[in-house]
Amino acid sequence: MKRRAIISVSDKTGVVDFARELVALDFELISTGGTFKALDEANIPVKYVSEVTGFPEVLDGRVKTLHPLIHGGILARDSVEHREQMEQNGIGFIDLVVVNLYPFRETISKPGVSFEEAIENIDVGGPTMVRAAAKNHGRVTVVVNPASYGDVVKVLREAGTVSAGMRKRLAAEAFSHTAEYDRLIAGYLERQLETPDSFPETIRLTAQKVQELRYGENPQQKAAFYINSEAGMGTLANGKQLQGKELSYNNWMDMDAAWKIVREFESCAATIIKHSNPCGVALGNTPLEAYQSALAADPVSAFGGIIAFNRVVDGVCAEAIKGSFYEVIIAPEFSREAQEILSEKVNLRLFVVGRGDNGNYYSGWAFKSINGGYLVQEVDRGTTSVGEWDVVTDQKPTEEDLIALDFAWRVVKHVKSNAIVVTDHKQTLGVGAGQMNRVGSVKIALEQAGDRARGAYLASDAFFPFPDSIEAAAKAGIRAIVQPGGSVKDAAVIEAANRLNMIMVFTHRRHFQH
């Protein structure tokens, strides 16, 4: 008796060649809709499903394969009892199920797609066949991924049958396929019900493994990189490495921090990151100017760091970078000349993020794992604009002061708490990060800035609980301070700023980053 295969695919990549191979291996083919048409036009012998079931497609094609003569053939065991029942009911075995599902993800990604169109692209018959075949993988082979066609043909040619181990692997892939499909549908429907600010009762995330990493933060920790299946273009995860060694876990962490900082600015910006904190951030008229200023902010710490730009890296900038040691350079793009220059540094990783709108539904949320669970919060997007700030001191800022304070405020948002940043109008001069008390962070930032602190600007990610930091800033020559405010000691802090003839503005928004 001939073996039978049912083929019904939305993604028709390679399906004609695969079907031709199956016919050569003496399979009888059953198909539906567009797949039947593609095989028939290729002169491949194939039966339409209605020829098998004796029942027409009905309800606008919603019911085609939902029939005992199809599902009995898929679900039947090769046992005496089942063979008797199949013979009594005229059911033939189906040995191979080749199915992938209606393009629901692609449908809901289209601009302006209607709810009705989305619903019509929810597959019912396809998942039912896939799940039936995967359940019965002890006898049936199920294929949902065109990339597996070649492997299946190879083993059928060589061994005449698909091994139990391979059927089990394909069944796991099939259940993964339907699980992801159901997750997309559930998420889409839930978003029709939710208000924009709400969190769903269940979060369903899937991610595909891109690569295993050499190790995690430390050599004793295993690690891997996964990409969120809903990540849009223009995200770091969807970027491309052009050259250099394999990226490490710590590289990815620092790259993420670097990319977030340069995306904060519309003007040409560069940052150099070490251990997830910026050792230099600067604006410039060109990438070269921004890079040189960022490097000058802290050239000692910059050694072995990660650079990010929010502009195309050109040859002039690449030439300046070439003489120093860095781990990674990130940019939307690199010019051909820049790539040629930097290709001489074979271990230097060049990473292109590209351009695009990140339409990822989950991109507005940040996840952190805790022991046995997850914390989920909104991403800390944007910040208060200068127009929303309150000047709380007798001394008032000029337009130039506000530009400098805005730069400092955008940078401090990306520094680990307790965070203090000292800047001029477009360059960081000192960064104090991650200290257990704010005075310690102020001291580090001012010491790093040195004489450059005179006439400079200081930003704090959270309020000052006491006037001591204000007094230290004034002693170093800081002209103006930007901070959220909100301390019970605000009056004392403001009094100290007035007494020391300083400018202080409150933003009324905190930017902790733990």
Side-chain angles (χ1 to χ4, degrees):
M1 182 183 296
K2 275 193 173 186
R3 290 175 292 183
R4 295 199 302 169
I6 186 163
I7 306 178
S8 181
V9 293
S10 173
D11 179 359
K12 295 179 176 56
T13 304
V15 74
V16 170
D17 291 338
F18 184 44
R20 191 173 284 117
E21 294 281 2
L22 292 176
V23 170
L25 289 162
D26 207 29
F27 273 83
E28 179 183 284
L29 305 186
I30 305 165
S31 193
T32 65
T35 307
F36 173 85
K37 183 180 178 183
L39 301 183
D40 187 52
E41 288 177 351
N43 296 316
I44 295 172
V46 57
K47 285 185 177 181
Y48 200 77
V49 68
S50 296
E51 294 182 60
V52 176
T53 63
F55 200 88
E57 283 189 21
V58 293
L59 308 179
D60 299 319
R62 286 187 170 196
V63 177
K64 297 188 286 283
T65 58
L66 298 170
H67 194 281
L69 292 180
I70 297 299
H71 286 279
I74 296 171
L75 282 165
R77 294 193 184 99
D78 191 6
S79 66
V80 173
E81 183 183 3
H82 279 202
R83 281 184 175 276
E84 288 177 352
Q85 291 180 38
M86 292 177 74
E87 188 172 343
Q88 291 167 7
N89 292 282
I91 302 171
F93 282 114
I94 292 175
D95 307 278
L96 176 62
V97 173
V98 184
V99 173
N100 54 57
L101 310 178
Y102 290 175
F104 187 79
R105 182 197 301 279
E106 293 77 6
T107 299
I108 62 175
S109 297
K110 292 190 297 188
V113 65
S114 68
F115 181 74
E116 291 72 21
E117 185 180 356
I119 294 302
E120 282 306 308
N121 275 275
I122 296 175
D123 203 333
V124 175
T128 307
M129 287 192 290
V130 168
R131 290 178 61 83
K135 173 177 177 171
N136 202 30
H137 68 269
R139 182 184 64 78
V140 179
T141 302
V142 58
V143 184
V144 297
N145 187 348
S148 298
Y149 293 166
D151 292 339
V152 172
V153 167
K154 185 173 184 290
V155 298
L156 285 171
R157 280 181 185 159
E158 294 175 355
T161 186
V162 178
S163 69
M166 187 174 185
R167 291 197 305 273
K168 184 179 290 186
R169 177 178 64 78
L170 291 170
E173 186 175 26
F175 277 121
S176 176
H177 186 59
T178 57
E180 168 64 0
Y181 196 72
D182 286 343
R183 183 193 70 82
L184 281 169
I185 295 167
Y188 173 78
L189 292 175
E190 286 170 349
R191 293 196 292 279
Q192 311 309 305
L193 304 174
E194 294 164 359
T195 59
D197 296 329
S198 68
F199 290 89
E201 291 302 312
T202 302
I203 293 175
R204 305 172 191 87
L205 285 174
T206 58
Q208 299 297 316
K209 186 167 73 174
V210 176
Q211 65 182 126
E212 291 191 8
L213 305 176
R214 286 181 298 164
Y215 52 81
E217 285 181 289
N218 301 290
Q220 69 271 19
Q221 295 171 271
K222 293 181 180 179
F225 168 56
Y226 288 76
I227 186 169
N228 185 333
S229 59
E230 295 186 16
M233 297 307 295
T235 56
L236 188 69
N238 261 319
K240 179 182 179 183
Q241 186 174 348
L242 300 180
Q243 70 168 54
K245 296 187 298 184
E246 183 179 308
L247 291 164
S248 71
Y249 180 96
N250 291 332
N251 288 155
W252 278 109
M253 293 293 291
D254 286 345
M255 288 163 61
D256 186 55
W259 186 241
K260 286 174 181 174
I261 290 177
V262 294
R263 285 185 64 199
E264 190 74 44
F265 300 99
E266 293 184 9
S267 302
C268 179
T271 185
I272 304 174
I273 291 286
K274 286 288 286 290
H275 305 300
S276 295
N277 278 305
C279 45
V281 182
L283 306 180
N285 294 317
T286 65
L288 173 63
E289 186 178 309
Y291 162 68
Q292 289 175 330
S293 294
L295 176 60
D298 186 358
V300 174
S301 298
F303 180 83
I306 285 177
I307 314 174
F309 295 89
N310 64 358
R311 295 288 192 276
V312 176
V313 174
D314 55 26
V316 176
C317 185
E319 194 66 53
I321 291 170
K322 187 177 72 171
S324 300
F325 169 64
Y326 297 107
E327 293 280 357
V328 187
I329 305 174
I330 313 166
E333 295 173 24
F334 292 82
S335 72
R336 181 172 296 180
E337 182 185 6
Q339 289 185 53
E340 289 174 358
I341 291 168
L342 295 171
S343 66
E344 298 174 23
K345 300 177 74 69
V346 294
N347 289 328
L348 173 64
R349 306 160 178 94
L350 300 188
F351 196 87
V352 175
V353 179
R355 304 177 188 276
D357 177 30
N358 176 11
N360 176 4
Y361 170 58
Y362 291 109
S363 65
W365 297 346
F367 295 80
K368 289 202 179 212
S369 61
I370 61 168
N371 188 13
Y374 299 92
L375 298 173
V376 183
Q377 66 172 346
E378 291 180 328
V379 170
D380 189 7
R381 292 185 182 278
T383 188
T384 49
S385 65
V386 171
E388 299 172 87
W389 295 356
D390 285 332
V391 179
V392 295
T393 49
D394 297 335
Q395 288 289 326
K396 307 303 178 188
T398 64
E399 188 66 28
E400 188 175 312
D401 291 328
L402 290 173
I403 290 170
L405 290 169
D406 182 60
F407 172 70
W409 185 238
R410 290 177 184 276
V411 173
V412 80
K413 171 186 171 184
H414 298 278
V415 177
K416 298 288 186 184
S417 296
N418 288 311
I420 299 292
V421 170
V422 175
T423 77
D424 61 16
H425 296 85
K426 56 182 181 179
Q427 177 192 39
T428 55
L429 306 175
V431 178
Q435 299 305 300
M436 284 64 72
N437 65 77
R438 198 154 296 275
V439 177
S441 290
V442 169
K443 181 179 179 182
I444 291 169
L446 292 174
E447 284 182 351
Q448 191 179 87
D451 291 340
R452 297 179 298 175
R454 299 210 166 272
Y457 302 85
L458 185 147
S460 173
D461 66 339
F463 62 66
F464 290 102
F466 302 103
D468 47 4
S469 293
I470 311 305
E471 291 163 353
K475 185 176 180 181
I478 293 294
R479 171 175 170 78
I481 293 175
V482 56
Q483 60 133 321
S487 168
V488 294
K489 297 282 189 177
D490 273 351
V493 169
I494 294 168
E495 187 280 327
N498 281 327
R499 172 168 47 83
L500 297 164
N501 206 32
M502 299 177 73
I503 300 164
M504 183 179 288
V505 297
F506 282 5
T507 65
H508 306 295
R509 181 179 292 188
R510 190 180 73 185
H511 284 306
F512 270 164
Q513 186 180 178
H514 286 302

